[in-house]
Amino acid sequence: MRFSRLALAHLVAFGLVGCADSHGRGATERDGGPVDAAILLHDAQVGPDASLVLDGGARVSCDPADARQALCVDIVCDGLPTWHWNGDSCFAIDCGTCEGADCDRGFRSQGECQAAHAACDAALCESTGGEWLWWAEECGHFECGFPPPEVCIRGMPVCDCGDERRFEPGVGCVIAGCPEVDPLPPDVLCAETGGEWGPFCVHSQCGEQSELACAALACHCPGVTQVFDSLRGCVDGTRCFERNPGERCHERARCGGGTICCDQCGGAGCAGEPTCVAPTCDDDPSVDTCGNRRDAP
C-alpha cells in the first residue's frame, strides 16, 4: 500500500507506523548502547543512576556535564585543556577556565572523551548515519522521517535516522520497514507547513531568503529556526541552531568560535538583531559582556 507523505505523517502521529520511544526515557532507562560500542566500554555496565560504568568502576554519564568555559578569565595556566561531554559531543575547555561541578571530571583528550561516550544515544545516532537533534524537544526518536506524537510532559533531544529507518537505543539507526510513500508536490508541502511558495530562487535558510535575483520557484519558511525539508516541509533544522561568529542568533542557538549570543541585553549598545559576538571583557561593572551599558536607558 502506498501513502502520500502527508498521510504518512498522520499515520506516524497516530502511532500506526509505530514509535520507538514516544514517551521518552524513564529515570531508570539506559541512555547508551551495546557493551562493545567502544574499546573503553567493553566491560561497561549500567549503574544505579543510569550512568555507564567503565573498567575499574569509573562512571561516565550520557547527560551533559556541568562544565563550561568561563568568560573573561584573567588567569595564566600552562596546563593542558580538558575535554567534556555536552550531551551530544565532546568539547575542550582551556586550562584554568572551567566553571561547574564537573570540571574535575574532564578527559585528557578528545579521543578519550569520545571513546568513553561511544555507547550514548547521541554518539550511536551519529555513528550509524543519523542526525542527533540536540536542540529538539520531541517525545521520542524519529521513525520513517517523522517524530512521534507529542504526548509527553517534557521533550528531549532525539535521533533522526531518515525516511527509511528508525533509532533503536543501544544499537543506533536500523531499517524500519516504512510504508512506500508518494511525494507531495513541493508547493503544496510548503503551503501545508506554513511556508510561502514563490520566485525566491532557492529555499530559505533559517528565515533568510537568497539575495540572488532569479525566477526559480522555492519555499520561504519564515521561522528563524526553519529550513525546507522535501519530506516534511518547513521544519526546524540543525543549521539554524549552530551559528557562526557574526551571524544572527536566538535563545537556543550555539555560537561558535568562542562567541556568545547577545539576545538578552538592554541599553545603548543593543542596536540591531541578536548576533554571535566575542564577549566584552571590561573592568567597568556598568558594561555587560555584550558591550552594553547597564545604566543606559
Side-chain angles (χ1 to χ4, degrees):
M1 181 180 297
R2 299 182 67 89
F3 299 91
S4 71
R5 291 191 184 276
L6 192 58
L8 177 59
H10 291 158
L11 287 173
V12 172
F14 286 101
L16 299 182
V17 174
C19 296
D21 186 10
S22 63
H23 296 276
R25 291 186 300 274
T28 59
E29 293 179 10
R30 178 180 180 179
D31 178 10
V35 295
D36 60 349
I39 294 176
L40 293 182
L41 294 177
H42 67 274
D43 284 331
Q45 298 178 358
V46 184
D49 57 355
S51 60
L52 301 178
V53 183
L54 309 182
D55 279 344
R59 294 184 183 276
V60 174
S61 174
C62 292
D63 293 329
D66 180 15
R68 56 201 167 275
Q69 184 156 322
L71 300 177
C72 305
V73 175
D74 185 15
I75 189 172
V76 176
C77 183
D78 58 1
L80 297 174
T82 55
W83 291 82
H84 303 263
W85 177 254
N86 66 4
D88 57 274
S89 61
C90 294
F91 66 99
I93 297 180
D94 294 335
C95 174
T97 64
C98 186
E99 288 184 338
D102 295 331
C103 285
D104 60 348
R105 299 191 181 102
F107 294 84
R108 294 169 296 181
S109 68
Q110 183 180 24
E112 183 178 307
C113 178
Q114 290 175 333
H117 294 90
C120 295
D121 280 358
L124 285 173
C125 173
E126 296 285 351
S127 66
T128 54
E131 180 182 4
W132 184 255
L133 309 182
W134 54 266
W135 42 266
E137 296 178 348
E138 299 292 349
C139 298
H141 301 292
F142 279 46
E143 183 164 352
C144 301
F146 291 92
E150 297 183 2
V151 295
C152 55
I153 297 176
R154 184 180 65 180
M156 66 178 187
V158 295
C159 183
D160 180 4
C161 292
D163 59 0
E164 297 293 334
R165 302 189 296 167
R166 63 177 174 82
F167 182 80
E168 184 174 327
V171 178
C173 292
V174 298
I175 299 299
C178 303
E180 295 184 21
V181 298
D182 293 320
L184 283 175
D187 57 332
V188 175
L189 188 59
C190 175
E192 288 280 348
T193 54
E196 179 184 357
W197 187 258
F200 303 125
C201 197
V202 295
H203 302 309
S204 63
Q205 288 279 329
C206 311
E208 298 182 0
Q209 294 179 249
S210 171
E211 296 181 356
L212 299 176
C214 64
L217 297 176
C219 184
H220 172 57
C221 299
V224 296
T225 63
Q226 291 187 322
V227 297
F228 183 76
D229 180 86
S230 61
L231 179 67
R232 294 180 292 139
C234 291
V235 294
D236 285 344
T238 299
R239 170 66 182 90
C240 304
F241 293 87
E242 295 176 339
R243 312 305 285 157
N244 296 317
E247 291 186 331
R248 292 189 304 167
C249 57
H250 48 86
E251 182 183 0
R252 295 163 63 194
R254 279 184 185 172
C255 288
T259 60
I260 59 175
C261 181
C262 288
D263 61 339
Q264 295 179 357
C265 53
C270 193
E273 296 182 273
T275 307
C276 291
V277 299
T280 298
C281 299
D282 197 307
D283 293 334
D284 186 347
S286 65
V287 176
D288 65 18
T289 53
C290 290
N292 305 301
R293 293 195 60 83
R294 304 179 192 274
D295 55 0

